Amino acid sequence: MAWGDERQDIHIHSQGEVEKWVHSTCNLCSIGCGCDIAVKEGHIVGVKGKKDDSINLGRLDPKAQYQWEPNNHEDRLLHPLIRNKEGNLEKASWEEAMNYIVKKAKEVMKEKGGDGAAIYSTGQGFLEDYYTIAKIGRAGLGTHLLDANTRLCTATTEWCLLQSFGADGVPASFEDLDEAETIMLFGHNPAETGTVFFDRIMERKKKTGKPYLIVADPRETLTAKEADLHLQLKPATNAALLNGLIREIISEGWLDEEFIEKNTVQFNEMKESVEPWSLERAGNEAAIPVPTLRLAAEKLGRTESLVSTTLQGAFQSSDATSACVAINNLHLMRGLIGKPGSGPLHMAGQPSSSGNRTVGGVGTYPGNRNPENPEHLREVAELWNVEESMLAVGPEKGIIKQIELMEKEKIGFFWNIHTNPLVSLPNLPRAKKALEKTFVVVQDPFLTETTEVADVVLPPAMWGEKEGTMENADRTINVLRKAVEPPPNVKSDLDILIDFSRRMELQDKDGNPLVGYSTPEEAFEEWKKVSEGRPSDMSGMTYEKLEKENGIRWPATQSKPEGTVRLYENHHFPTEPEYCQSYGKDMVTGRPKTEKEFEQLNADGKAIFHPTRHLGAPEKPRKDFPFWLNTGRLLWHWHTRTKTARSPELNEKAPEAYVTIHEDDASFLDISEGELVQVFSPRGSIKVPARIGTEVNQGEVFIPFHYGNWEENQAANQLTIDVVDPLSHQPIFKQASCRVEKITE
């Protein structure tokens, strides 16, 4: 049954009738809303929601309605650029640019080896691009340094799933939102970051009174205002809060003991770890009244069905993986997983960040394979027909570690694809200095803050100008058809990657081109063979089926091509040592566990409880920096505004950064609404106008992170720390110390 009434959001700018509509999916957030692209005279002129797509029923996020406008923007790059001896970027031919890139790549590999090169991509690309990056990077260049801006966004999703269930892949789906008695949104503000997702919850709630909605967030966000219960916790206390709730649920006996006995291991170890966390202690740590916590524990402990979501508020905080594993623990001890209306739904931020993990374009190996398992590496080597010795062994090295390697001059070639790290990375002054020491290729449709340090800039095709597939947050694979040709002299990402591979003369064992395909569909067909038999099996999918069905969730095998709504319905988990994607990591230090240590768990198809420690923030407010700094997203912009700033309608809604400060703090500092203030942290300072209210608690401030150097020093990440979660290596953007000063002439 459809979750709501059909409607059709549409935005077209065209004189006369649209010539054709082309099947696609939104290219912004991870909800994966179906849409059709309007085409006239070879140009994209609009977009409309697809009414028969169950994900969105015709609805589109406000950003999605304007996402086509940047395609036609006058700022688009229409030819490659090379930095000349005077330090300026000047026009070049593709031949000149690619030859230069290949020359530098070969020089670096000869001097530094394969790990002298790194590829840093995006969560807004296509699965076929990511798969090609994996193949070129692993089997061609021999580098272990593949990462993406998903590291900054949702890397913790991957690691909490690996720890608890043995493989990546969110257990619940969006359909479970339609049946859940209770939904807990933990550090997730979908009213601004995924409006169609939030509509789905609220439309049902207005009609039926369900679900009971719990929101955990230190800010009174638009989402929190709609909650039945808002847990307005103090920053850096996610794990403490969850440990207290779990202990209370255990002490009240609200457990599915049969499920625990039959389908899990290490329950007693987890139980022992939360024993010190009484509601009184948790309430004191998180600054939440005990009666409020008791109510939350009762709702979570007695509900018949529960979906829990997480996003950056959980992932970019201290104890990130511990907190998300605690949510998995909660579902396991209540047996609320693998059945309708129940399961953890750890979100992705971008439309294909999970797809990048699935096919190995980041630190993972294709098809949820384990880089510590020699048999898995042999499988990949055989599938790609390459020497096993080409494939790097061991855990991934994320972008923050790569910055450190650049500082030590161990990376000499950095290929940056469709992302803008000199706005999005934490501790920007450090990141900029590191990139300036490295040969940098930037592949982006526009000049950005990062192209300021680029040696070569390549202009790629944009959404609607190329074909491929994307994976949304609940494992749904969608195909996006090509609506128009890219501008003359502009190439698709896949074509650029294939061209690079062939110019580098990358070959398999038989002397054939390493990348043997030339079209997206051919790449997808090869990937299907690589995925077969693995958790993310897509062997039953085809482009034709994906378009006809408006997406299919993996696994979709040849025997079950319709796909899988939710994982673990048979209560079997991929934790066999010979099959699992990871042997896991130590929950405190992040040290990778050995195969022997994993075998000693005796999981063998059972889910794994883990103790969850509360360690707190690595940087806290102090005398000279007395405020907590929090950063995050806005409704009107996406990431670093490379595209959304080029939509007049979106940019006028939120043209500049600001700092939100509590009215009592503003009064004490004699700061007025809209007044320009300077915000300092131990790493730098920015100047932004003040917004005053009660959205944040006293002693806390909030700054949106979308804004960079265009706004003259308004980048929030001038202030943030570059400490990472020990397991996911995701930076802790949400907690740093700062002070706010009134600017006086």
Side-chain angles (χ1 to χ4, degrees):
M1 186 175 71
W3 54 267
D5 298 326
E6 289 184 358
R7 77 170 198 231
Q8 191 161 57
D9 293 336
I10 184 168
H11 176 61
I12 302 174
H13 187 267
S14 174
Q15 298 295 322
E17 292 295 318
V18 169
E19 292 173 3
K20 64 177 179 177
W21 294 93
V22 180
H23 175 90
S24 192
T25 303
C26 177
N27 190 215
L28 291 174
C29 82
S30 66
I31 309 308
C33 295
C35 61
D36 288 314
I37 299 173
V39 178
K40 184 177 182 182
E41 298 176 355
H43 294 281
I44 298 175
V45 295
V47 65
K48 67 179 179 181
K50 191 178 285 291
K51 291 195 292 185
D52 62 348
D53 191 311
S54 64
I55 295 290
N56 58 313
L57 300 180
R59 295 156 176 76
L60 291 174
D61 181 283
K63 293 183 289 294
Q65 296 180 46
Y66 300 101
Q67 67 184 301
W68 57 273
E69 292 183 334
N71 287 58
N72 303 325
H73 201 278
E74 61 184 8
D75 286 352
R76 277 201 71 172
L77 296 176
L78 302 177
H79 46 72
L81 303 170
I82 294 177
R83 196 168 298 280
N84 60 25
K85 292 180 181 179
E86 289 73 40
N88 301 315
L89 289 171
E90 63 180 14
K91 182 178 178 179
S93 69
W94 277 98
E95 192 74 14
E96 291 170 325
M98 295 305 294
N99 283 343
Y100 186 29
I101 290 169
V102 167
K103 176 176 176 287
K104 293 300 294 188
K106 287 182 175 180
E107 288 176 358
V108 166
M109 290 176 63
K110 183 177 180 180
E111 178 189 350
K112 303 178 185 294
D115 277 351
I119 303 176
Y120 185 62
S121 64
T122 174
Q124 295 178 74
F126 288 173
L127 180 149
E128 295 79 3
D129 305 329
Y130 302 143
Y131 175 69
T132 305
I133 289 170
K135 198 171 188 183
I136 289 173
R138 300 290 193 192
L141 303 180
T143 181
H144 204 31
L145 305 180
L146 304 180
D147 204 16
N149 60 20
T150 58
R151 177 72 55 191
L152 313 178
C153 183
T154 55
T156 301
T157 289
E158 174 193 6
W159 272 98
C160 79
L161 295 170
L162 294 179
Q163 291 290 104
S164 299
F165 310 125
D168 202 349
V170 290
S173 77
F174 296 162
E175 286 186 24
D176 290 310
L177 300 171
D178 308 334
E179 300 190 51
E181 181 179 294
T182 304
I183 293 177
M184 177 169 66
L185 306 178
F186 202 101
H188 183 197
N189 179 23
E192 293 189 79
T193 62
T195 61
V196 173
F197 181 98
F198 193 59
D199 284 351
R200 187 169 192 156
I201 296 171
M202 295 309 297
E203 287 192 18
R204 175 181 167 228
K205 187 170 179 62
K206 288 171 184 175
K207 289 177 182 177
T208 68
K210 292 184 177 181
Y212 187 87
L213 187 60
I214 301 173
V215 173
D217 199 301
R219 293 192 295 142
E220 190 181 26
T221 62
L222 295 178
T223 302
K225 290 177 185 292
E226 299 294 339
D228 295 289
L229 183 61
H230 178 199
L231 302 176
Q232 195 168 7
L233 70 170
K234 190 172 76 174
T237 62
N238 292 349
L241 167 62
L242 287 161
N243 284 349
L245 295 175
I246 287 171
R247 180 189 182 277
E248 180 72 4
I249 291 168
I250 292 172
S251 67
E252 291 290 341
W254 294 321
L255 304 174
D256 188 332
E257 294 182 356
E258 182 180 0
F259 181 91
I260 294 170
E261 177 65 27
K262 288 183 177 180
N263 304 300
T264 70
V265 297
Q266 287 202 140
F267 174 74
N268 288 333
E269 288 85 342
M270 184 278 288
K271 178 181 177 182
E272 182 179 342
S273 77
V274 301
E275 183 56 35
W277 286 97
S278 65
L279 286 187
E280 288 72 20
R281 182 184 177 191
N284 182 63
E285 187 72 22
I288 298 175
V290 169
T292 302
L293 291 183
R294 187 166 288 115
L295 175 60
E298 182 174 0
K299 291 295 182 180
L300 295 168
R302 299 176 71 94
T303 185
E304 293 296 318
S305 54
L306 171 68
V307 170
S308 300
T309 75
T310 51
L311 202 57
Q312 276 94 325
F315 303 154
Q316 295 178 344
S317 293
S318 59
D319 303 321
T321 303
S322 285
C324 293
V325 165
I327 288 172
N328 295 342
N329 289 343
L330 170 61
H331 279 268
L332 290 171
M333 72 191 212
R334 297 234 44 240
L336 298 179
I337 187 171
K339 63 185 195 180
S342 288
L345 184 57
H346 299 291
M347 296 293 291
Q350 300 181 75
S352 209
S353 58
S354 47
N356 206 341
R357 302 195 308 264
T358 299
V359 302
V362 284
T364 54
Y365 263 85
N368 312 95
R369 287 180 172 84
N370 186 350
E372 306 278 1
N373 186 332
E375 184 55 38
H376 286 197
L377 296 186
R378 278 194 289 272
E379 286 178 13
V380 175
E382 183 177 337
L383 286 160
W384 285 347
N385 193 31
V386 298
E387 296 292 343
E388 218 177 299
S389 58
M390 284 295 297
L391 304 178
V393 178
E396 76 280 9
K397 293 181 175 69
I399 184 62
I400 303 303
K401 180 65 176 178
Q402 291 181 26
I403 293 294
E404 179 185 324
L405 293 172
M406 289 179 211
E407 292 172 331
K408 297 176 180 178
E409 299 186 357
K410 292 186 177 181
I411 292 177
F413 180 92
F414 184 76
W415 192 344
N416 179 86
I417 302 174
H418 283 289
T419 186
N420 189 13
L422 288 189
V423 175
S424 61
L425 286 179
N427 193 357
L428 284 176
R430 178 191 181 193
K432 187 171 187 290
K433 288 179 183 178
L435 285 168
E436 287 172 340
K437 299 176 72 171
T438 309
F439 182 84
V440 176
V441 179
V442 173
Q443 194 163 303
D444 200 286
F446 302 100
L447 292 176
T448 68
E449 287 76 9
T450 306
T451 61
E452 293 177 15
V453 302
D455 297 281
V456 181
V457 181
L458 301 177
M462 295 177 67
W463 170 85
E465 300 168 356
K466 55 185 181 175
E467 186 164 88
T469 56
M470 303 186 80
E471 179 180 328
N472 77 358
D474 79 340
R475 296 173 284 106
T476 299
I477 303 295
N478 290 291
V479 65
L480 292 79
R481 296 295 190 179
K482 185 177 183 179
V484 299
E485 292 296 326
N489 209 34
V490 168
K491 299 183 179 183
S492 74
D493 298 298
L494 185 63
D495 286 343
I496 294 169
L497 290 164
I498 292 173
D499 184 31
F500 172 77
S501 180
R502 292 181 179 168
R503 288 175 187 268
M504 288 287 292
E505 301 177 296
L506 303 181
Q507 298 176 337
D508 67 12
K509 286 195 298 186
D510 297 330
N512 299 314
L514 177 65
V515 180
Y517 46 80
S518 59
T519 69
E521 192 164 8
E522 289 171 355
F524 187 76
E525 289 299 315
E526 179 175 305
W527 152 249
K528 284 164 54 177
K529 296 174 184 175
V530 174
S531 76
E532 192 164 6
R534 298 300 302 163
S536 52
D537 193 325
M538 299 183 201
S539 59
M541 296 182 185
T542 65
Y543 273 23
E544 183 181 1
K545 288 179 185 176
L546 291 171
E547 180 171 352
K548 181 181 178 182
E549 300 296 329
N550 288 321
I552 299 171
R553 293 183 187 90
W554 64 254
T557 64
Q558 294 185 57
S559 60
K560 191 183 177 185
E562 70 275 12
T564 306
V565 173
R566 65 189 60 82
L567 301 180
Y568 313 132
E569 288 185 313
N570 61 358
H571 297 163
H572 182 274
F573 301 87
T575 53
E576 295 87 354
E578 68 277 6
Y579 186 77
C580 68
Q581 185 179 342
S582 171
Y583 300 134
K585 295 182 180 181
D586 183 272
M587 286 292 294
V588 174
T589 67
R591 175 187 65 82
K593 297 284 189 72
T594 65
E595 181 180 10
K596 185 175 181 180
E597 287 176 297
F598 188 79
E599 286 175 344
Q600 290 172 347
L601 294 175
N602 294 315
D604 292 318
K606 295 182 179 181
I608 304 167
F609 282 102
H610 286 278
T612 50
R613 315 291 183 191
H614 166 64
L615 300 177
E619 179 175 287
K620 298 179 181 180
R622 55 185 191 264
K623 185 176 181 181
D624 48 347
F625 299 103
F627 285 95
W628 283 106
L629 169 66
N630 186 5
T631 68
R633 291 193 278 165
L634 302 178
L635 172 62
W636 305 107
H637 283 302
W638 188 252
H639 286 194
T640 65
R641 304 195 316 134
T642 303
K643 291 189 289 188
T644 55
R646 291 177 167 86
S647 167
E649 295 90 342
L650 295 173
N651 200 47
E652 70 180 14
K653 297 286 188 182
E656 63 179 351
Y658 57 86
V659 57
T660 301
I661 185 169
H662 191 275
E663 58 189 17
D664 291 343
D665 291 324
S667 177
F668 178 78
L669 295 171
D670 192 27
I671 293 170
S672 303
E673 176 72 23
E675 187 173 10
L676 194 67
V677 299
Q678 193 160 7
V679 185
F680 295 85
S681 86
R683 287 151 295 280
S685 70
I686 63 173
K687 294 181 180 180
V688 288
R691 289 192 180 180
I692 299 169
T694 57
E695 174 192 318
V696 296
N697 285 322
Q698 278 188 267
E700 301 171 21
V701 299
F702 172 82
I703 302 173
F705 74 80
H706 305 290
Y707 301 84
N709 294 336
W710 292 325
E711 280 65 41
E712 298 182 355
N713 193 28
Q714 291 194 336
N717 285 321
Q718 295 278 357
L719 311 175
T720 51
I721 61 175
D722 48 13
V723 179
V724 300
D725 179 80
L727 282 82
S728 67
H729 298 169
Q730 184 159 353
I732 302 173
F733 288 104
K734 295 292 185 181
Q735 286 104 41
S737 62
C738 71
R739 71 174 181 270
V740 182
E741 292 186 2
K742 183 184 177 75
I743 296 176
T744 56
E745 296 298 333

